[in-house]
Amino acid sequence: MGCVFFGPWQKEKPGPAHNVLVKEVWGFNALVEWEPPKDDGNSEITGYSIQKADKKTMEWFTVYEHNHFTRCTVSDLIMGNEYYFRVYSENICGLSEQPGVSKNTANIPKTAQDNLDEEQSGSQWGPQISAEKQPRSVDPQYP
């Protein structure tokens, strides 16, 4: 499907953003990063459109249009939900026919404790909690 001719090169819509990943999740936010499309349609990439979908419904909503960077922070995510993201590339001919879809998800914990538990389970440096009971001394002067 053609767009515009400039000299011998035909301009076309670009390919999808490549390697879309959720890089970090904190609070009600997710950092999403991607790489430019492998095929720019013989025209400069002018931006990206980013969408989110709750894993339960898989309904897509646009969160950014004409974003000029290959990363963005998506805010106002809902506690207890898990999200996928997709990114359309854009050039002078329009948006890519297909999006790049995130390979992982952003899981927004229901409570701060859920977030702490998730961080600790993934880290060997977090505080260690022992299930062993420690011996206690009993002082008869205290009830």
Side-chain angles (χ1 to χ4, degrees):
M1 174 178 255
C3 176
V4 181
F5 287 95
F6 288 107
W9 302 106
Q10 181 176 351
K11 309 291 185 186
E12 298 178 334
K13 290 182 179 182
H18 181 66
N19 201 25
V20 180
L21 291 171
V22 176
K23 297 295 276 189
E24 189 176 350
V25 175
W26 69 99
F28 304 107
N29 310 293
L31 173 63
V32 182
E33 293 184 354
W34 58 91
E35 296 173 12
K38 293 180 180 179
D39 177 10
D40 64 6
N42 298 318
S43 181
E44 178 184 355
I45 298 299
T46 58
Y48 300 93
S49 288
I50 299 93
Q51 297 181 336
K52 69 178 180 179
D54 183 319
K55 187 175 179 181
K56 293 177 213 164
T57 64
M58 290 308 289
E59 291 182 51
W60 293 97
F61 297 94
T62 300
V63 292
Y64 289 105
E65 291 182 304
H66 314 295
N67 182 56
H68 296 286
F69 304 102
T70 56
R71 66 187 309 185
C72 70
T73 299
V74 180
S75 302
D76 300 324
L77 300 174
I78 298 172
M79 182 170 46
N81 289 2
E82 189 172 357
Y83 293 90
Y84 282 100
F85 300 91
R86 67 184 183 185
V87 180
Y88 288 89
S89 304
E90 185 175 9
N91 68 10
I92 195 170
C93 294
L95 293 174
S96 55
E97 297 287 336
Q98 298 294 320
V101 180
S102 58
K103 297 180 182 194
N104 56 347
T105 60
N107 188 15
I108 309 303
K110 288 183 181 180
T111 65
Q113 184 61 43
D114 290 345
N115 198 17
L116 181 62
D117 292 344
E118 187 174 300
E119 287 175 10
Q120 288 177 357
S121 69
S123 171
Q124 62 183 356
W125 307 109
Q128 299 297 315
I129 299 173
S130 173
E132 296 179 31
K133 291 184 179 181
Q134 300 296 322
R136 294 176 41 180
S137 63
V138 177
D139 189 337
Q141 292 181 334
Y142 296 100

